[in-house]
Amino acid sequence: MTSIAKTLRPLARAAASSSRPLRPAFSRTAPQIRCLSSTLPRRDVDISDIPPTPITHLSDTEALMAESVSKFAQDVILPKAREMDEAESMDPTVVEQLFEQGLMGVEIPEEYGGSGMNFTSAIIAIEELARVDPSVSVMADVHNTLCNTAILKWGTEKLKKEWLPKLATNTVGSFCLSEPVSGSDAFALATKATRTGNGYKINGGKMWITNSMEANFFIVFANLDPSKKYKGITAFIVEKGTPGFSIAKKEKKLGIRASSTCVINFDDVEIPKENLLGDEFEGYKYAIGLLNEGRIGIAAQMTGLALGAFENAAGYAWNDRKQFGQLIGEFQGMQHQMAQAWTEIQAARALVFNAARKKEAGEDFVMDAAMAKLYASQVAGKVSGQAVEWMGGMGFVREGLAEKYFRDSKIGAIYEGTSNIQLTTIARHLQKTYTK
Amino acid sequence: MSGLRILVPVKRVIDYAVKPRVNRAQTAVETANVKHSMNPFDELSIEEAVRLRERKVPVEEIVAFSAGPPKAQDILRTAMAMGADRGIHVQIDEKEGKGELEPLGVAKLLKRVVEKEKSNLVILGKQSIDDDAGQTGQMLAALLNWSQATQASKVQVEGDSVIVTREVDGGVETLKAKLPMIITTDLRLNEPRYASLPNIMKAKKKPLDKKTLKDFEGDFSARLKTVKVTEPPPRKGGIKVEDVDGMISKLKELGAL
């Protein structure tokens, strides 16, 4: 694929240390710090010889894919978006079609039955889906950026062969980190794992688990040695139907209502040794790494949502609604608001795509991902709120989608790291850079 | 019969959802920075070709062809992502509506391609939504002296004959002809698929031949000159009449009675 990194010549990072002391070069000097904010660059690459292109430039394949996903979302998902929101459930045929289109295995290599595309393609797909329905988008996002990536990165060959073909074609994945006692303080999790004769036993409970109704595959974080504190956290794979595994309650939510969010209980859930993901006591590192990447996905969900809300309202203001003898989109008061909103959406998208490209190039993207997610969720909240106002009564009723975008936007500031956590991450990087 | 060698010509046109605008000089429709996609009727053609293969009709090869600007390659990739085996692109330098091929030019060019590729079935859209000429398929049939079935709503292949159902006023008409033949597609023939992500990746590896008009023998130059392009006059709102007499007198006034 067009993963930038592949086209680049690998190079010792000698050049990085030279010259230009005046500009703080975040990507090079950004420190590796603890706690939900550090991940090692994947590989050392030098992109200094690559002619820069606009951030929004897509490869031919990415552009073709964006068009195809957009069409699929418009034709297949849009007619069901309102209905699924009202029913607070995901239509199983939508899930099926996501698999058929290859949208659930974007980065899974072709030999495992996936689409074999790059990270940015996944981001584009998430954005295109969110433009039409943020609930469908988050399902694909969690599945692709968290679950698939976890197996791709740390799964043994056996796990990959067993699970990747399923994850690409028919099995929804879910990522179980949060608990009643651990949200932003993710490493305070209390679910315990103990070693048994031929595997592990998990006890505890998880909360706010996205995709849990649809999923058959769960990545579960549990502490294998509480005396080590967070360094005891280990990642496991649990299948739905394992004795002791149960879904306790499905939450009723403000937004993204078609996406399932449940409480899950683990009561002496026994799993075989092979279901250990990666190594023991490495789980906390995996969680940090995955969430750092994952939040670029959430940022893309938010820019997609903002685009969808804007387009919905702009179509109304510039074609349908007339007051005082003219289209409401002709009034300067409206036009200036819309121009401002569009500018903010594009600014957020620039952050999102830049973070995605930096990740692909193997650069440190942690602060970029945090800024992208923070700002994209703010813009999504603001624009979708304004869009309701622009449409007046028609924006307020549950007939159209304006109010749904508005409700759906709120989650952006909450999951995969709240806005305050993003700000903390950004501030830590800054402080490290500017401390003399 | 060894198998069908299907040629599917596709055209890159302004997307159906975009409102076309006439340029300031009134010589052509504005194409810069306008979203383009595959002519919807051509999507039906590709889909039908792929479905023939899926229905176990012996299909040896499906070749997608396009003559147009460099960007026309995008739609050839789409065609290949939908299931065509390879693509042929004849690059045309179009500038502001000049240098564009006319239906007869396209038909002559297609005749050469058919001969070279030894195609025995050509499936074309019944028209492209930009020029709406609706001539290419018929002209190609005449040039090749092949049978043709236009505006197909159903296609069945039985041995070396093809049965085509077409919707006509007040019913359907069923035609049967022997291969080789020309089929043009109509809206209700099928529902084109979306290019799935794995197929988009596969399409990247499928061969795409790049050619120019010079690689083909013949005169493909335009014979028509576009004098002027204008937008249709805006629709004027109607008026309400008081009663039947009022209506009759108004109709008389307008010369309708």
Side-chain angles (χ1 to χ4, degrees), chain A residues 59-244:
Chain A
S59 74
D60 286 354
T61 310
E62 288 162 351
L64 174 52
M65 181 259 199
E67 207 188 306
S68 184
V69 177
S70 163
K71 210 159 137 189
F72 164 75
Q74 287 287 336
D75 295 354
V76 178
I77 300 174
L78 184 62
K80 293 180 175 160
R82 166 54 66 189
E83 198 185 307
M84 295 196 296
D85 182 69
E86 295 288 338
E88 299 196 34
S89 74
M90 185 70 68
D91 184 334
T93 58
V94 168
V95 183
E96 214 171 281
Q97 281 162 314
L98 288 175
F99 279 114
E100 255 169 44
Q101 291 302 308
L103 286 164
M104 297 298 259
V106 181
E107 284 184 274
I108 295 178
E110 285 165 77
E111 67 255 38
Y112 295 110
S115 305
M117 289 184 162
N118 56 338
F119 179 73
T120 304
S121 289
I123 295 305
I124 294 165
I126 290 160
E127 188 181 50
E128 287 297 340
L129 291 173
R131 211 160 161 172
V132 165
D133 190 343
S135 293
V136 176
S137 172
V138 73
M139 161 174 270
D141 172 71
V142 168
H143 183 94
N144 277 293
T145 66
L146 300 180
C147 299
N148 293 352
T149 308
I151 301 294
L152 278 169
K153 274 191 172 169
W154 300 294
T156 57
E157 197 45 45
K158 185 169 180 292
L159 277 180
K160 285 186 188 172
K161 278 196 177 128
E162 185 187 352
W163 285 106
L164 289 178
K166 291 187 193 170
L167 288 166
T169 54
N170 58 27
T171 305
V172 179
S174 178
F175 185 82
C176 312
L177 181 66
S178 295
E179 295 184 7
V181 295
S182 71
S184 291
D185 186 7
F187 292 161
L189 60 86
T191 297
K192 286 189 181 58
T194 47
R195 292 194 189 90
T196 60
N198 52 2
Y200 304 90
K201 188 153 68 179
I202 301 174
N203 270 297
K206 294 285 174 183
M207 204 172 180
W208 316 118
I209 305 306
T210 304
N211 285 358
S212 43
M213 282 308 268
E214 294 81 15
N216 270 306
F217 169 94
F218 296 81
I219 294 176
V220 180
F221 290 86
N223 202 320
L224 189 58
D225 184 356
S227 71
K228 292 187 160 184
K229 302 234 168 108
Y230 70 87
K231 290 187 177 171
I233 294 173
T234 305
F236 303 96
I237 291 160
V238 179
E239 276 181 74
K240 187 179 257 175
T242 310

